[in-house]
Amino acid sequence: MNDHALAEELRQVIGELVRKVRAADSMPAGEAASLGHLDRGGPLTAADLAHLRGVTHQAASKSVKELLGRGLVDVTPHPSDGRKLLLRITELGRDHLQRERSQRAHWLDTAIQALDPEERQKLRECVPVMVHLAAHTPNSEDANRPSSPAPG
C-alpha cells in the first residue's frame, strides 16, 4: 500500500471510529467540543470557540446558549475589552464533560477488550505514532496540494 492509499484508509477508519465513539455521547458534538475547549484552554470568548471549532460565530453562539441555559458554562466580563464576555466552564460543566469522556473511554475499552492480546499490543505500539501524527501540522500549501502516489 502506497502512502496516499494509507492516508485515505487511515482517514476513513479514524472517521468511522470517531463517529462510533461519539455515538456514546449524551450531548451534541458542538456542545461537547465547546466544553472540551473551555476545560483545556480556560476562559474563551464565543469568537475564540468558533475559531477553535472551525465553525461560524452563529453556530458557536447556539452551542454556548444551550450550555449557559443548562448551567454548564458561565460568563464573566473580559478583563481588557468591556464589549466582550469570557465563557468559563462551571463545576457542573466539568462534571458533565467528565461523564461524557468516561462514556467514550468505556466504549473504547470495551472495543479494545474484544481484540486478541497481539492486536492490543500492536495498538499500544501505534499510540505514540498516532500522537506524533496528530502533532504534525502541515503548512497551508501542503494541506491544499494532493500528494503524488508513491512509486511501486
Side-chain angles (χ1 to χ4, degrees), residues 49-72:
L49 281 174
H51 176 75
L52 289 167
R53 290 182 42 214
V55 299
T56 64
H57 190 279
Q58 182 181 9
S61 293
K62 183 177 181 229
S63 294
V64 165
K65 183 178 178 181
E66 293 294 322
L67 294 170
L68 281 166
R70 294 183 14 226
L72 303 178

Side-chain angles (χ1 to χ4, degrees), residues 3-148:
D3 288 349
H4 182 75
L6 173 62
E8 179 57 24
E9 188 169 341
L10 188 60
R11 183 196 64 75
Q12 288 177 6
V13 74
I14 289 173
E16 184 175 338
L17 183 61
V18 166
R19 283 187 294 279
K20 287 185 176 186
V21 170
R22 282 188 179 156
D25 288 351
S26 63
M27 67 188 315
E31 291 176 28
S34 294
L35 281 181
H37 284 298
L38 292 170
D39 184 51
R40 289 185 303 275
L44 299 166
T45 65
D48 294 333
L49 281 174
H51 176 75
L52 289 167
R53 290 182 42 214
V55 299
T56 64
H57 190 279
Q58 182 181 9
S61 293
K62 183 177 181 229
S63 294
V64 165
K65 183 178 178 181
E66 293 294 322
L67 294 170
L68 281 166
R70 294 183 14 226
L72 303 178
V73 299
D74 61 18
V75 294
T76 58
H78 194 283
S80 62
D81 187 341
R83 299 168 297 168
K84 295 180 181 179
L85 296 173
L86 286 177
L87 301 160
R88 184 176 55 119
I89 190 169
T90 63
E91 284 306 312
L92 181 63
R94 194 167 275 111
D95 291 345
H96 192 77
L97 181 61
Q98 185 54 47
R99 281 192 304 278
E100 292 287 316
R101 289 173 172 166
S102 292
Q103 287 173 302
R104 294 175 198 156
H106 177 72
W107 186 95
L108 278 168
D109 183 50
T110 301
I112 290 168
Q113 294 309 311
L115 301 174
D116 65 47
E118 185 178 321
E119 289 173 317
R120 282 196 299 271
Q121 183 56 38
K122 286 179 182 177
L123 185 58
R124 282 183 194 93
E125 293 167 2
C126 287
V127 171
V129 175
M130 297 298 290
V131 168
H132 186 81
L133 185 61
H136 176 73
T137 306
N139 65 40
S140 59
E141 289 178 14
D142 289 344
N144 294 321
R145 179 180 43 210
S147 62
S148 55

